[in-house]
Short mmCIF file of all heavy atoms in Angstrom, two decimals:
data_model
loop_
_atom_site.label_atom_id
_atom_site.label_comp_id
_atom_site.label_asym_id
_atom_site.label_seq_id
_atom_site.Cartn_x
_atom_site.Cartn_y
_atom_site.Cartn_z
N MET A 222 36.09 -48.03 29.52
CA MET A 222 34.78 -47.40 29.53
C MET A 222 33.70 -48.44 29.83
O MET A 222 33.76 -49.56 29.37
CB MET A 222 34.52 -46.74 28.18
CG MET A 222 33.19 -46.02 28.12
SD MET A 222 33.03 -45.10 26.60
CE MET A 222 31.62 -45.90 25.91
N ASP A 223 32.72 -48.05 30.57
CA ASP A 223 31.61 -48.94 30.90
C ASP A 223 30.80 -49.22 29.64
O ASP A 223 30.36 -48.31 28.96
CB ASP A 223 30.73 -48.28 31.96
CG ASP A 223 29.67 -49.21 32.50
OD1 ASP A 223 29.36 -50.22 31.86
OD2 ASP A 223 29.15 -48.92 33.58
N ASP A 224 30.60 -50.48 29.31
CA ASP A 224 29.87 -50.85 28.10
C ASP A 224 28.39 -50.49 28.17
O ASP A 224 27.69 -50.60 27.17
CB ASP A 224 30.00 -52.35 27.84
CG ASP A 224 31.39 -52.72 27.36
OD1 ASP A 224 32.09 -51.84 26.82
OD2 ASP A 224 31.77 -53.89 27.52
N TYR A 225 27.91 -50.10 29.34
CA TYR A 225 26.49 -49.79 29.48
C TYR A 225 26.22 -48.29 29.41
O TYR A 225 25.10 -47.86 29.57
CB TYR A 225 25.94 -50.37 30.78
CG TYR A 225 26.08 -51.86 30.80
CD1 TYR A 225 27.00 -52.49 31.61
CD2 TYR A 225 25.30 -52.64 29.94
CE1 TYR A 225 27.13 -53.87 31.60
CE2 TYR A 225 25.43 -54.02 29.92
CZ TYR A 225 26.36 -54.62 30.76
OH TYR A 225 26.49 -55.98 30.73
N LEU A 226 27.25 -47.50 29.18
CA LEU A 226 27.10 -46.06 29.07
C LEU A 226 27.43 -45.61 27.65
O LEU A 226 28.33 -46.15 27.02
CB LEU A 226 28.01 -45.33 30.06
CG LEU A 226 27.80 -45.65 31.54
CD1 LEU A 226 28.83 -44.92 32.38
CD2 LEU A 226 26.41 -45.26 31.97
N LEU A 227 26.71 -44.61 27.18
CA LEU A 227 26.95 -44.05 25.86
C LEU A 227 27.32 -42.58 26.01
O LEU A 227 26.84 -41.91 26.92
CB LEU A 227 25.70 -44.16 24.99
CG LEU A 227 25.17 -45.58 24.75
CD1 LEU A 227 23.84 -45.52 24.00
CD2 LEU A 227 26.19 -46.38 23.96
N ASN A 228 28.15 -42.08 25.09
CA ASN A 228 28.51 -40.67 25.10
C ASN A 228 27.58 -39.94 24.15
O ASN A 228 27.58 -40.19 22.95
CB ASN A 228 29.97 -40.50 24.67
CG ASN A 228 30.45 -39.09 24.86
OD1 ASN A 228 29.66 -38.14 24.92
ND2 ASN A 228 31.75 -38.94 24.96
N ARG A 229 26.81 -39.02 24.68
CA ARG A 229 25.84 -38.28 23.89
C ARG A 229 26.48 -37.58 22.69
O ARG A 229 25.87 -37.45 21.64
CB ARG A 229 25.15 -37.26 24.80
CG ARG A 229 24.11 -36.44 24.13
CD ARG A 229 23.52 -35.40 25.08
NE ARG A 229 22.52 -34.64 24.40
CZ ARG A 229 21.22 -34.83 24.53
NH1 ARG A 229 20.78 -35.74 25.36
NH2 ARG A 229 20.38 -34.10 23.86
N LYS A 230 27.73 -37.15 22.82
CA LYS A 230 28.42 -36.44 21.75
C LYS A 230 28.65 -37.31 20.52
O LYS A 230 28.89 -36.79 19.44
CB LYS A 230 29.76 -35.90 22.26
CG LYS A 230 29.63 -34.86 23.33
CD LYS A 230 30.99 -34.43 23.83
CE LYS A 230 30.86 -33.50 25.01
NZ LYS A 230 32.17 -33.12 25.54
N ASP A 231 28.58 -38.62 20.67
CA ASP A 231 28.81 -39.55 19.56
C ASP A 231 27.57 -39.76 18.70
O ASP A 231 27.65 -40.46 17.70
CB ASP A 231 29.27 -40.91 20.09
CG ASP A 231 30.63 -40.84 20.76
OD1 ASP A 231 31.41 -39.92 20.45
OD2 ASP A 231 30.92 -41.72 21.60
N PHE A 232 26.45 -39.17 19.09
CA PHE A 232 25.17 -39.44 18.43
C PHE A 232 24.49 -38.16 17.95
O PHE A 232 24.70 -37.09 18.49
CB PHE A 232 24.22 -40.16 19.40
CG PHE A 232 24.67 -41.54 19.75
CD1 PHE A 232 25.59 -41.75 20.76
CD2 PHE A 232 24.19 -42.65 19.07
CE1 PHE A 232 26.02 -43.02 21.09
CE2 PHE A 232 24.61 -43.92 19.38
CZ PHE A 232 25.53 -44.11 20.40
N THR A 233 23.67 -38.32 16.91
CA THR A 233 22.75 -37.27 16.50
C THR A 233 21.35 -37.73 16.89
O THR A 233 21.07 -38.93 16.90
CB THR A 233 22.81 -37.01 14.98
OG1 THR A 233 22.53 -38.22 14.28
CG2 THR A 233 24.18 -36.49 14.57
N PHE A 234 20.47 -36.79 17.18
CA PHE A 234 19.15 -37.12 17.68
C PHE A 234 18.08 -36.49 16.80
O PHE A 234 18.23 -35.35 16.36
CB PHE A 234 18.97 -36.60 19.12
CG PHE A 234 19.91 -37.23 20.10
CD1 PHE A 234 21.19 -36.74 20.27
CD2 PHE A 234 19.52 -38.33 20.84
CE1 PHE A 234 22.06 -37.32 21.17
CE2 PHE A 234 20.38 -38.92 21.74
CZ PHE A 234 21.66 -38.42 21.90
N LYS A 235 17.02 -37.25 16.56
CA LYS A 235 15.86 -36.70 15.86
C LYS A 235 14.61 -37.33 16.48
O LYS A 235 14.66 -38.44 17.00
CB LYS A 235 15.94 -36.94 14.36
CG LYS A 235 15.84 -38.38 13.94
CD LYS A 235 15.90 -38.49 12.43
CE LYS A 235 15.77 -39.95 12.01
NZ LYS A 235 15.80 -40.12 10.59
N PRO A 236 13.49 -36.61 16.43
CA PRO A 236 12.26 -37.16 17.01
C PRO A 236 11.91 -38.51 16.38
O PRO A 236 12.11 -38.72 15.19
CB PRO A 236 11.20 -36.11 16.68
CG PRO A 236 11.98 -34.85 16.52
CD PRO A 236 13.29 -35.27 15.90
N TYR A 237 11.40 -39.41 17.19
CA TYR A 237 11.03 -40.75 16.75
C TYR A 237 9.57 -40.98 17.10
O TYR A 237 9.16 -40.79 18.24
CB TYR A 237 11.92 -41.78 17.44
CG TYR A 237 11.57 -43.21 17.12
CD1 TYR A 237 11.80 -43.73 15.86
CD2 TYR A 237 11.02 -44.03 18.09
CE1 TYR A 237 11.48 -45.05 15.56
CE2 TYR A 237 10.71 -45.36 17.80
CZ TYR A 237 10.94 -45.85 16.54
OH TYR A 237 10.62 -47.15 16.26
N HIS A 238 8.77 -41.37 16.09
CA HIS A 238 7.34 -41.61 16.27
C HIS A 238 7.03 -43.04 15.83
O HIS A 238 6.84 -43.29 14.65
CB HIS A 238 6.52 -40.61 15.46
CG HIS A 238 6.87 -39.18 15.75
ND1 HIS A 238 6.50 -38.55 16.92
CD2 HIS A 238 7.58 -38.27 15.05
CE1 HIS A 238 6.95 -37.31 16.91
NE2 HIS A 238 7.62 -37.12 15.80
N PRO A 239 7.00 -43.98 16.77
CA PRO A 239 6.71 -45.37 16.41
C PRO A 239 5.27 -45.54 15.91
O PRO A 239 4.40 -44.74 16.24
CB PRO A 239 6.93 -46.13 17.71
CG PRO A 239 6.71 -45.12 18.78
CD PRO A 239 7.14 -43.80 18.20
N ILE A 240 5.06 -46.60 15.15
CA ILE A 240 3.72 -46.89 14.63
C ILE A 240 2.77 -47.19 15.78
O ILE A 240 1.64 -46.74 15.82
CB ILE A 240 3.77 -48.07 13.63
CG1 ILE A 240 4.59 -47.68 12.42
CG2 ILE A 240 2.38 -48.50 13.23
CD1 ILE A 240 4.91 -48.82 11.49
N VAL A 241 3.24 -47.97 16.74
CA VAL A 241 2.45 -48.31 17.92
C VAL A 241 2.92 -47.41 19.06
O VAL A 241 4.08 -47.42 19.42
CB VAL A 241 2.63 -49.79 18.31
CG1 VAL A 241 1.85 -50.11 19.56
CG2 VAL A 241 2.22 -50.69 17.16
N GLY A 242 2.01 -46.64 19.62
CA GLY A 242 2.37 -45.72 20.69
C GLY A 242 2.49 -46.40 22.03
O GLY A 242 2.21 -47.59 22.18
N GLY A 243 2.92 -45.66 23.00
CA GLY A 243 3.06 -46.18 24.34
C GLY A 243 2.95 -45.04 25.33
O GLY A 243 2.52 -43.95 24.99
N ASP A 244 3.40 -45.27 26.55
CA ASP A 244 3.33 -44.23 27.57
C ASP A 244 4.71 -43.74 27.98
O ASP A 244 4.92 -43.33 29.10
CB ASP A 244 2.56 -44.74 28.78
CG ASP A 244 3.20 -45.96 29.41
OD1 ASP A 244 4.18 -46.46 28.86
OD2 ASP A 244 2.70 -46.40 30.46
N SER A 245 5.65 -43.78 27.05
CA SER A 245 7.02 -43.39 27.35
C SER A 245 7.27 -41.90 27.18
O SER A 245 8.36 -41.43 27.45
CB SER A 245 8.00 -44.15 26.45
OG SER A 245 7.93 -45.52 26.71
N GLY A 246 6.30 -41.16 26.69
CA GLY A 246 6.52 -39.74 26.42
C GLY A 246 7.28 -39.56 25.12
O GLY A 246 7.30 -40.44 24.26
N ALA A 247 7.91 -38.40 24.97
CA ALA A 247 8.64 -38.10 23.74
C ALA A 247 9.82 -39.05 23.56
O ALA A 247 10.54 -39.35 24.51
CB ALA A 247 9.14 -36.66 23.78
N LEU A 248 9.99 -39.53 22.34
CA LEU A 248 11.09 -40.44 22.02
C LEU A 248 11.99 -39.80 20.98
O LEU A 248 11.54 -39.01 20.14
CB LEU A 248 10.55 -41.76 21.48
CG LEU A 248 9.61 -42.54 22.38
CD1 LEU A 248 9.06 -43.76 21.64
CD2 LEU A 248 10.31 -42.97 23.65
N TYR A 249 13.26 -40.18 21.00
CA TYR A 249 14.22 -39.72 20.01
C TYR A 249 14.98 -40.92 19.46
O TYR A 249 15.23 -41.88 20.18
CB TYR A 249 15.21 -38.73 20.62
CG TYR A 249 14.56 -37.44 21.00
CD1 TYR A 249 14.03 -37.26 22.28
CD2 TYR A 249 14.42 -36.41 20.09
CE1 TYR A 249 13.39 -36.09 22.63
CE2 TYR A 249 13.80 -35.23 20.43
CZ TYR A 249 13.28 -35.07 21.70
OH TYR A 249 12.65 -33.92 22.04
N LEU A 250 15.35 -40.84 18.18
CA LEU A 250 16.20 -41.85 17.58
C LEU A 250 17.62 -41.30 17.60
O LEU A 250 17.90 -40.25 17.02
CB LEU A 250 15.77 -42.15 16.14
CG LEU A 250 16.58 -43.23 15.45
CD1 LEU A 250 16.40 -44.58 16.16
CD2 LEU A 250 16.18 -43.35 14.00
N ALA A 251 18.50 -41.99 18.31
CA ALA A 251 19.90 -41.60 18.40
C ALA A 251 20.69 -42.44 17.41
O ALA A 251 20.69 -43.66 17.51
CB ALA A 251 20.42 -41.81 19.82
N SER A 252 21.33 -41.79 16.46
CA SER A 252 22.15 -42.48 15.45
C SER A 252 23.61 -42.12 15.68
O SER A 252 23.95 -40.94 15.82
CB SER A 252 21.73 -42.05 14.04
OG SER A 252 20.38 -42.37 13.82
N HIS A 253 24.45 -43.14 15.71
CA HIS A 253 25.88 -42.92 15.94
C HIS A 253 26.46 -42.17 14.75
O HIS A 253 26.15 -42.45 13.60
CB HIS A 253 26.60 -44.25 16.15
CG HIS A 253 27.93 -44.10 16.79
ND1 HIS A 253 29.05 -43.73 16.10
CD2 HIS A 253 28.31 -44.26 18.09
CE1 HIS A 253 30.08 -43.68 16.92
NE2 HIS A 253 29.66 -43.99 18.15
N LYS A 254 27.30 -41.19 15.02
CA LYS A 254 27.88 -40.36 13.96
C LYS A 254 28.85 -41.14 13.08
O LYS A 254 28.97 -40.84 11.89
CB LYS A 254 28.59 -39.15 14.57
CG LYS A 254 27.63 -38.17 15.22
CD LYS A 254 28.38 -37.02 15.86
CE LYS A 254 27.42 -36.05 16.53
NZ LYS A 254 28.14 -34.95 17.21
N SER A 255 29.54 -42.12 13.61
CA SER A 255 30.54 -42.88 12.84
C SER A 255 30.03 -44.23 12.35
O SER A 255 30.52 -44.73 11.34
CB SER A 255 31.79 -43.12 13.69
OG SER A 255 32.37 -41.89 14.06
N TYR A 256 29.10 -44.83 13.06
CA TYR A 256 28.59 -46.16 12.72
C TYR A 256 27.08 -46.04 12.46
O TYR A 256 26.28 -46.14 13.38
CB TYR A 256 28.85 -47.15 13.85
CG TYR A 256 30.29 -47.22 14.26
CD1 TYR A 256 30.73 -46.58 15.42
CD2 TYR A 256 31.23 -47.88 13.48
CE1 TYR A 256 32.06 -46.62 15.79
CE2 TYR A 256 32.57 -47.92 13.84
CZ TYR A 256 32.98 -47.28 15.00
OH TYR A 256 34.30 -47.32 15.36
N SER A 257 26.71 -45.85 11.20
CA SER A 257 25.32 -45.55 10.85
C SER A 257 24.34 -46.64 11.28
O SER A 257 23.17 -46.36 11.49
CB SER A 257 25.19 -45.30 9.35
OG SER A 257 25.58 -46.45 8.62
N GLY A 258 24.78 -47.88 11.40
CA GLY A 258 23.88 -48.96 11.80
C GLY A 258 23.60 -49.01 13.29
O GLY A 258 22.74 -49.75 13.75
N LEU A 259 24.32 -48.21 14.06
CA LEU A 259 24.15 -48.22 15.52
C LEU A 259 23.15 -47.14 15.91
O LEU A 259 23.43 -45.94 15.79
CB LEU A 259 25.49 -47.96 16.20
CG LEU A 259 25.53 -48.03 17.72
CD1 LEU A 259 25.06 -49.39 18.23
CD2 LEU A 259 26.93 -47.75 18.22
N GLN A 260 21.97 -47.58 16.33
CA GLN A 260 20.91 -46.64 16.70
C GLN A 260 20.23 -47.10 17.98
O GLN A 260 20.16 -48.30 18.26
CB GLN A 260 19.86 -46.56 15.59
CG GLN A 260 20.39 -46.01 14.29
CD GLN A 260 19.31 -45.96 13.23
OE1 GLN A 260 18.53 -46.89 13.10
NE2 GLN A 260 19.28 -44.89 12.47
N TYR A 261 19.72 -46.13 18.72
CA TYR A 261 18.99 -46.40 19.94
C TYR A 261 17.76 -45.52 20.00
O TYR A 261 17.78 -44.39 19.52
CB TYR A 261 19.85 -46.11 21.19
CG TYR A 261 21.02 -47.03 21.34
CD1 TYR A 261 22.28 -46.66 20.90
CD2 TYR A 261 20.86 -48.28 21.93
CE1 TYR A 261 23.36 -47.52 21.04
CE2 TYR A 261 21.93 -49.13 22.07
CZ TYR A 261 23.18 -48.75 21.62
OH TYR A 261 24.23 -49.60 21.76
N VAL A 262 16.70 -46.02 20.59
CA VAL A 262 15.54 -45.20 20.89
C VAL A 262 15.79 -44.64 22.29
O VAL A 262 16.05 -45.38 23.23
CB VAL A 262 14.23 -46.02 20.86
CG1 VAL A 262 13.06 -45.18 21.32
CG2 VAL A 262 13.99 -46.56 19.45
N VAL A 263 15.72 -43.32 22.40
CA VAL A 263 16.00 -42.64 23.65
C VAL A 263 14.70 -42.12 24.26
O VAL A 263 13.93 -41.44 23.59
CB VAL A 263 16.98 -41.46 23.42
CG1 VAL A 263 17.24 -40.71 24.72
CG2 VAL A 263 18.28 -41.97 22.82
N LYS A 264 14.49 -42.46 25.51
CA LYS A 264 13.32 -42.00 26.24
C LYS A 264 13.78 -40.86 27.14
O LYS A 264 14.63 -41.06 28.00
CB LYS A 264 12.73 -43.13 27.08
CG LYS A 264 12.27 -44.29 26.22
CD LYS A 264 11.71 -45.39 27.07
CE LYS A 264 11.20 -46.51 26.18
NZ LYS A 264 10.47 -47.52 26.92
N SER A 265 13.22 -39.68 26.92
CA SER A 265 13.73 -38.53 27.67
C SER A 265 12.67 -37.72 28.38
O SER A 265 12.98 -36.97 29.29
CB SER A 265 14.52 -37.61 26.74
OG SER A 265 13.67 -37.10 25.73
N ALA A 266 11.42 -37.83 27.98
CA ALA A 266 10.39 -36.98 28.57
C ALA A 266 10.09 -37.34 30.02
O ALA A 266 9.85 -36.48 30.85
CB ALA A 266 9.11 -37.04 27.74
N ILE A 267 10.11 -38.63 30.33
CA ILE A 267 9.81 -39.08 31.69
C ILE A 267 10.98 -39.97 32.14
O ILE A 267 10.95 -41.18 31.96
CB ILE A 267 8.47 -39.85 31.74
CG1 ILE A 267 7.36 -39.02 31.09
CG2 ILE A 267 8.12 -40.23 33.17
CD1 ILE A 267 6.07 -39.77 30.90
N PRO A 268 12.04 -39.36 32.70
CA PRO A 268 13.25 -40.13 33.05
C PRO A 268 12.99 -41.31 33.96
O PRO A 268 13.69 -42.32 33.87
CB PRO A 268 14.14 -39.09 33.74
CG PRO A 268 13.62 -37.77 33.30
CD PRO A 268 12.16 -37.95 33.04
N GLU A 269 11.99 -41.22 34.85
CA GLU A 269 11.73 -42.32 35.77
C GLU A 269 11.34 -43.59 35.02
O GLU A 269 11.73 -44.69 35.40
CB GLU A 269 10.61 -41.96 36.75
CG GLU A 269 10.90 -40.75 37.62
CD GLU A 269 10.58 -39.43 36.90
OE1 GLU A 269 9.71 -39.41 36.02
OE2 GLU A 269 11.23 -38.44 37.24
N LEU A 270 10.57 -43.47 33.94
CA LEU A 270 10.17 -44.65 33.17
C LEU A 270 11.38 -45.29 32.50
O LEU A 270 11.54 -46.51 32.51
CB LEU A 270 9.13 -44.27 32.11
CG LEU A 270 7.75 -43.88 32.62
CD1 LEU A 270 6.85 -43.51 31.45
CD2 LEU A 270 7.14 -44.98 33.44
N ALA A 271 12.23 -44.46 31.93
CA ALA A 271 13.42 -44.99 31.26
C ALA A 271 14.34 -45.67 32.27
O ALA A 271 14.89 -46.75 32.02
CB ALA A 271 14.16 -43.88 30.53
N CYS A 272 14.50 -45.07 33.44
CA CYS A 272 15.36 -45.65 34.48
C CYS A 272 14.81 -46.98 34.96
O CYS A 272 15.54 -47.96 35.08
CB CYS A 272 15.49 -44.67 35.64
SG CYS A 272 16.53 -45.28 36.97
N ASN A 273 13.51 -47.03 35.22
CA ASN A 273 12.89 -48.28 35.67
C ASN A 273 13.03 -49.37 34.62
O ASN A 273 13.36 -50.52 34.93
CB ASN A 273 11.41 -48.06 35.99
CG ASN A 273 11.21 -47.25 37.25
OD1 ASN A 273 12.11 -47.13 38.07
ND2 ASN A 273 10.04 -46.67 37.38
N GLU A 274 12.78 -49.02 33.36
CA GLU A 274 12.88 -50.00 32.29
C GLU A 274 14.32 -50.50 32.15
O GLU A 274 14.56 -51.70 31.96
CB GLU A 274 12.40 -49.38 30.98
CG GLU A 274 12.12 -50.39 29.91
CD GLU A 274 11.38 -49.79 28.73
OE1 GLU A 274 10.49 -48.95 28.94
OE2 GLU A 274 11.72 -50.16 27.60
N TYR A 275 15.28 -49.60 32.25
CA TYR A 275 16.69 -49.98 32.17
C TYR A 275 17.02 -50.99 33.27
O TYR A 275 17.63 -52.03 33.01
CB TYR A 275 17.57 -48.73 32.30
CG TYR A 275 19.04 -49.03 32.38
CD1 TYR A 275 19.77 -49.27 31.22
CD2 TYR A 275 19.70 -49.11 33.60
CE1 TYR A 275 21.13 -49.55 31.28
CE2 TYR A 275 21.05 -49.39 33.67
CZ TYR A 275 21.76 -49.61 32.51
OH TYR A 275 23.09 -49.91 32.58
N MET A 276 16.63 -50.70 34.49
CA MET A 276 16.93 -51.60 35.61
C MET A 276 16.25 -52.96 35.43
O MET A 276 16.85 -53.99 35.71
CB MET A 276 16.52 -50.96 36.94
CG MET A 276 17.36 -49.75 37.31
SD MET A 276 19.14 -50.08 37.31
CE MET A 276 19.26 -51.32 38.58
N HIS A 277 15.03 -52.97 34.95
CA HIS A 277 14.33 -54.25 34.72
C HIS A 277 15.08 -55.09 33.68
O HIS A 277 15.23 -56.31 33.84
CB HIS A 277 12.89 -54.01 34.28
CG HIS A 277 12.03 -53.46 35.37
ND1 HIS A 277 11.00 -52.62 35.14
CD2 HIS A 277 12.08 -53.63 36.72
CE1 HIS A 277 10.43 -52.29 36.27
NE2 HIS A 277 11.07 -52.89 37.25
N HIS A 278 15.55 -54.45 32.61
CA HIS A 278 16.31 -55.18 31.59
C HIS A 278 17.63 -55.71 32.16
O HIS A 278 18.02 -56.84 31.87
CB HIS A 278 16.58 -54.29 30.38
CG HIS A 278 15.42 -54.19 29.45
ND1 HIS A 278 15.16 -55.14 28.48
CD2 HIS A 278 14.45 -53.26 29.32
CE1 HIS A 278 14.08 -54.79 27.81
NE2 HIS A 278 13.63 -53.66 28.29
N ARG A 279 18.32 -54.90 32.94
CA ARG A 279 19.61 -55.32 33.50
C ARG A 279 19.41 -56.49 34.49
O ARG A 279 20.19 -57.43 34.52
CB ARG A 279 20.31 -54.15 34.20
CG ARG A 279 20.67 -52.99 33.27
CD ARG A 279 21.65 -53.33 32.16
NE ARG A 279 22.82 -53.97 32.72
CZ ARG A 279 23.43 -55.02 32.19
NH1 ARG A 279 23.00 -55.54 31.07
NH2 ARG A 279 24.47 -55.53 32.76
N ILE A 280 18.36 -56.43 35.30
CA ILE A 280 18.08 -57.52 36.25
C ILE A 280 17.73 -58.80 35.50
O ILE A 280 18.22 -59.88 35.82
CB ILE A 280 16.96 -57.11 37.22
CG1 ILE A 280 17.47 -56.00 38.15
CG2 ILE A 280 16.45 -58.30 38.01
CD1 ILE A 280 16.38 -55.32 38.95
N ALA A 281 16.89 -58.68 34.46
CA ALA A 281 16.52 -59.85 33.67
C ALA A 281 17.76 -60.48 33.02
O ALA A 281 17.92 -61.70 33.03
CB ALA A 281 15.50 -59.47 32.59
N ALA A 282 18.64 -59.65 32.48
CA ALA A 282 19.87 -60.16 31.86
C ALA A 282 20.75 -60.87 32.90
O ALA A 282 21.33 -61.91 32.64
CB ALA A 282 20.63 -59.03 31.18
N ALA A 283 20.83 -60.29 34.11
CA ALA A 283 21.63 -60.90 35.17
C ALA A 283 21.06 -62.26 35.59
O ALA A 283 21.80 -63.14 36.01
CB ALA A 283 21.70 -59.96 36.38
N LEU A 284 19.76 -62.42 35.42
CA LEU A 284 19.11 -63.69 35.75
C LEU A 284 19.20 -64.70 34.59
O LEU A 284 18.70 -65.80 34.70
CB LEU A 284 17.65 -63.46 36.11
CG LEU A 284 17.41 -62.71 37.41
CD1 LEU A 284 15.94 -62.35 37.57
CD2 LEU A 284 17.89 -63.53 38.60
N GLY A 285 19.83 -64.27 33.50
CA GLY A 285 20.00 -65.17 32.36
C GLY A 285 18.85 -65.15 31.37
O GLY A 285 18.80 -65.99 30.47
N LEU A 286 17.94 -64.21 31.51
CA LEU A 286 16.81 -64.10 30.58
C LEU A 286 17.20 -63.26 29.38
O LEU A 286 17.98 -62.30 29.50
CB LEU A 286 15.61 -63.45 31.29
CG LEU A 286 15.10 -64.19 32.53
CD1 LEU A 286 14.05 -63.36 33.24
CD2 LEU A 286 14.54 -65.55 32.15
N HIS A 287 16.67 -63.60 28.23
CA HIS A 287 16.94 -62.82 27.02
C HIS A 287 16.19 -61.50 27.11
O HIS A 287 15.03 -61.45 27.46
CB HIS A 287 16.51 -63.58 25.77
CG HIS A 287 16.67 -62.76 24.53
ND1 HIS A 287 17.90 -62.47 23.99
CD2 HIS A 287 15.75 -62.15 23.74
CE1 HIS A 287 17.73 -61.73 22.92
NE2 HIS A 287 16.43 -61.52 22.75
N THR A 288 16.88 -60.42 26.82
CA THR A 288 16.27 -59.10 26.85
C THR A 288 16.88 -58.25 25.75
O THR A 288 17.92 -58.59 25.19
CB THR A 288 16.47 -58.44 28.24
OG1 THR A 288 15.83 -57.17 28.23
CG2 THR A 288 17.92 -58.29 28.59
N MET A 289 16.24 -57.15 25.45
CA MET A 289 16.76 -56.25 24.42
C MET A 289 18.02 -55.56 24.95
O MET A 289 18.25 -55.48 26.15
CB MET A 289 15.71 -55.20 24.06
CG MET A 289 14.48 -55.77 23.42
SD MET A 289 13.27 -54.51 23.00
CE MET A 289 14.10 -53.75 21.63
N ASP A 290 18.83 -55.07 24.03
CA ASP A 290 20.05 -54.34 24.39
C ASP A 290 19.65 -52.96 24.92
O ASP A 290 19.00 -52.20 24.23
CB ASP A 290 20.93 -54.22 23.16
CG ASP A 290 22.23 -53.51 23.45
OD1 ASP A 290 22.70 -53.54 24.61
OD2 ASP A 290 22.78 -52.91 22.52
N VAL A 291 19.98 -52.67 26.16
CA VAL A 291 19.68 -51.37 26.74
C VAL A 291 20.97 -50.73 27.23
O VAL A 291 21.89 -51.42 27.66
CB VAL A 291 18.66 -51.46 27.90
CG1 VAL A 291 17.31 -51.92 27.40
CG2 VAL A 291 19.15 -52.38 29.00
N ARG A 292 21.02 -49.44 27.15
CA ARG A 292 22.20 -48.67 27.60
C ARG A 292 21.74 -47.38 28.21
O ARG A 292 20.70 -46.89 27.92
CB ARG A 292 23.15 -48.40 26.44
CG ARG A 292 23.64 -49.71 25.84
CD ARG A 292 24.75 -49.47 24.87
NE ARG A 292 25.06 -50.69 24.19
CZ ARG A 292 25.94 -51.57 24.59
NH1 ARG A 292 26.61 -51.38 25.68
NH2 ARG A 292 26.18 -52.65 23.90
#
């Protein structure tokens, strides 16, 4: 399995409201059903922003720069 892909069925989702807002649209906190410590913030309202951010993180990582874990 590709380490950069997640299976939606493995997670539960609930709305996520960070203290500091942004322009990402609606956010969700995805919590793994089996591993409670494994969580991701999911950007779903504006897919283009999430896609662009994902690609920027992957390019930065390929260049050897430290970046957050994105999937």
Side-chain angles (χ1 to χ4, degrees):
M222 181 172 119
D223 189 341
D224 287 337
Y225 299 109
L226 300 177
L227 301 174
N228 189 338
R229 181 183 180 102
K230 295 177 186 178
D231 294 336
F232 293 84
T233 57
F234 297 85
K235 67 179 181 179
Y237 176 70
H238 306 287
I240 295 170
V241 178
D244 59 356
S245 297
L248 301 175
Y249 292 91
L250 182 64
S252 300
H253 198 279
K254 292 178 181 178
S255 299
Y256 306 103
S257 61
L259 184 58
Q260 297 179 318
Y261 293 97
V262 174
V263 178
K264 298 180 177 188
S265 62
I267 308 171
E269 300 83 27
L270 291 179
C272 181
N273 289 341
E274 195 168 321
Y275 174 82
M276 292 306 298
H277 291 148
H278 279 277
R279 298 297 308 138
I280 291 168
L284 292 171
L286 301 172
H287 175 72
T288 181
M289 295 180 72
D290 182 27
V291 294
R292 300 191 188 269

